[in-house]
Amino acid sequence: RICASLDEEVEVHEYSRLGMLEVSPDSLEGKWSNVQKGDCVVAFSRREIFDIKTKIEEETGLRCAVIYGALPPETRAEQARLFNDPDSGYDVLVASDAVGMGINLKINRVVFTTLSKWDGDMVRPISVSQTRQIGGRAGRHNSGVDKGQVTTLEAVDVSRLDEVMGLQPHQLRVAGLKPPTEVIEVFSRQFPRVPFSQLWSMFCDIASVSDNYFLCNFRDQEAIASTIGHLGLSIRDMYQFIYAPINCRDAIVRNCLVHCATAVAQRIECKAASAIRLPKGKPRTRQELIAFEQWHRAITLYLWLSFHFPETFTEYDEALVFKGQCEETIQAGLLLPDSQGAPRRSFDSFVGKGIAKSENALGAPEASEVSDEFTAKIDAKLKALNRLRKMVEVK
């Protein structure tokens, strides 16, 4: 319908799955000891992933690689490589739904620990498309098995899984829209004294779209606007920031955001070392590993901003060095044995100095607290922009 309204033609390509796939009637019967080599065990929270990893390794002697959304893409690729390599010593994968996209894996069997997940508001059954996408990772073409299998941890979930795997996903009926910068600028002129965060909410309340579209959810953008709305950014600059690939719930990322936005507002250069303060040493606990994951997202923010504000964020190459160091540290942390019992350093002492040095280095006012619940995500746009930059340099 959208293409018809634009007088455009649509070309549809349909593909058939090359590898065989079946729902196994045999669950793990709630026992981790029934996990086998080549299994991918799927859970939907970071804490569960590490808990399951520990239990499987203790009960089977098999080593587990892990993949979840908060890991840097490079680390996810390395964990996938370890799982795929028959000589690496990693025979099982414990993963979140991030395993369903963009990673080539030689999975024999997918095991769902549950068929429900928290969506930010409540626990809901995972959708047909999510179930099929994740379950379909088993037995892919050239994965080394004739037929992939999908099953569950508990026997009670097998019949539901079998039903969902046989369904077709709902057809998309509407497409999401976001307003362009020019529309927001025109709208803001009607309310010159209204803060941007409130202005954004007002726009969403009164905007209307046709039946082919819906207005996208702007919780992430509203949180960013609330965090940096007091810094005096122009509407155009603010609009760039609100689509930054970050999660304002992360303290490290939030403070880096304020630091960077202050530099833009004050029209001064922001060097990579002033915004990025990696902790010294390697993570010894899961909490310390989370700190490095947050710092990686802060580095990604600096790199993303270097494309949008190149005159302010001038040290792209230096930030890439920090990025590589952070990825190596995260990978090393994942390869360590479970370290929940290790002598604990204060989390604040581990990361606090870095936060303090970067938080108000530019004399920024205190940012407002943000409590919105977000899903952590990595913005693939950074890679596309990097490729574009290389193309420009070649020309």
Side-chain angles (χ1 to χ4, degrees), residues 72-74 240-241 243-246 253 256-257 260 270-273 275-276 294-327 378-387 389-390:
E74 296 81 0
Q240 293 284 3
F241 269 95
Y243 285 104
I246 61 170
V253 179
C256 184
L257 170 69
C260 292
C270 180
K271 294 187 176 294
I276 303 162
Q294 289 189 20
W295 275 114
H296 190 275
R297 291 193 284 276
I299 296 167
T300 300
L301 171 63
Y302 185 96
L303 292 169
W304 186 84
L305 289 170
S306 73
F307 290 101
H308 295 274
F309 303 95
E311 69 288 350
T312 301
F313 304 96
T314 57
E315 296 190 339
Y316 177 86
D317 293 333
E318 290 80 352
L320 281 181
V321 173
F322 284 125
K323 180 172 177 285
Q325 293 173 349
C326 191
E327 289 163 3
I378 300 291
D379 192 356
K381 187 183 293 185
L382 180 60
K383 286 188 176 181
L385 289 171
N386 194 21
R387 290 195 295 269
R389 166 178 276 187
K390 290 180 179 178

Side-chain angles (χ1 to χ4, degrees), residues 137-159:
R137 304 305 294 179
R140 298 295 290 266
H141 184 57
N142 291 329
S143 65
V145 294
D146 295 331
K147 181 182 294 185
Q149 292 189 323
V150 192
T151 190
T152 60
L153 174 63
E154 304 290 348
V156 68
D157 292 324
V158 172
S159 59

